[in-house]
Amino acid sequence: MDRWSIVTTLNYLAHDEEVEIVLAKARHYRTQEGRDIVNKMVRLADLTRNAFANGDLSTVMSPRTVITWAENAEIFGDIGFAFRVTFLNKCDELERPLVAEFYQRCFNAELAESAVNVALS
């Protein structure tokens, strides 16, 4: 760091800008319903980024991960499964219930990794 005369911070895109980029790459979501889904995807990514910044998560969702998630959701026909294979499986096992809670907040649906399901098992 001492070799550089300028240090800057590069933050993530604004929510609406990221939604537009995902929609440009995942054309099958270019409907009102699709836009709502992509909004939820980006909201979930924002939650993981905030948790990462706070030290609660060791893995973060990039805009590229959101695009891959959207593409996988079209392939598998299941947003939850696509989320699991795109991002959740990358997370530390102890962090998965938190990430599953973020999914539940955004999509109002439980994943198998959620704290509710883990506690009942």
Side-chain angles (χ1 to χ4, degrees):
M1 293 291 274
D2 290 342
R3 292 183 286 157
W4 305 105
S5 59
I6 297 174
V7 178
T8 187
T9 301
L10 179 62
N11 291 321
Y12 286 97
L13 296 167
H15 179 90
D16 292 338
E17 291 175 9
E18 187 171 349
V19 167
E20 293 303 321
I21 288 171
V22 174
L23 289 171
K25 296 289 186 177
R27 298 176 188 268
H28 59 282
Y29 281 113
R30 289 187 182 173
T31 64
Q32 186 56 44
E33 181 183 349
R35 179 176 288 277
D36 291 341
I37 291 170
V38 171
N39 266 308
K40 292 174 185 177
M41 290 174 154
V42 173
R43 182 172 163 236
L44 195 154
D46 289 339
L47 289 171
T48 65
R49 294 167 190 157
N50 290 336
F52 178 81
N54 292 333
D56 297 328
L57 281 181
S58 59
T59 308
V60 68
M61 285 185 78
S62 68
R64 184 169 303 187
T65 302
V66 178
I67 292 168
T68 303
W69 177 17
E71 292 169 345
N72 286 341
E74 180 184 27
I75 292 168
F76 296 117
D78 185 333
I79 293 171
F81 180 76
F83 177 69
R84 185 176 291 112
V85 298
T86 304
F87 180 72
L88 190 64
N89 289 345
K90 292 179 186 178
C91 297
D92 182 271
E93 282 188 34
L94 297 174
E95 297 172 345
R96 289 179 188 177
L98 177 62
V99 177
E101 180 184 328
F102 293 159
Y103 182 90
Q104 193 279 330
R105 284 186 204 171
C106 295
F107 287 93
N108 200 27
E110 295 287 339
L111 292 174
E113 293 81 1
S114 73
V116 171
N117 292 332
V118 171
L120 294 176
S121 298

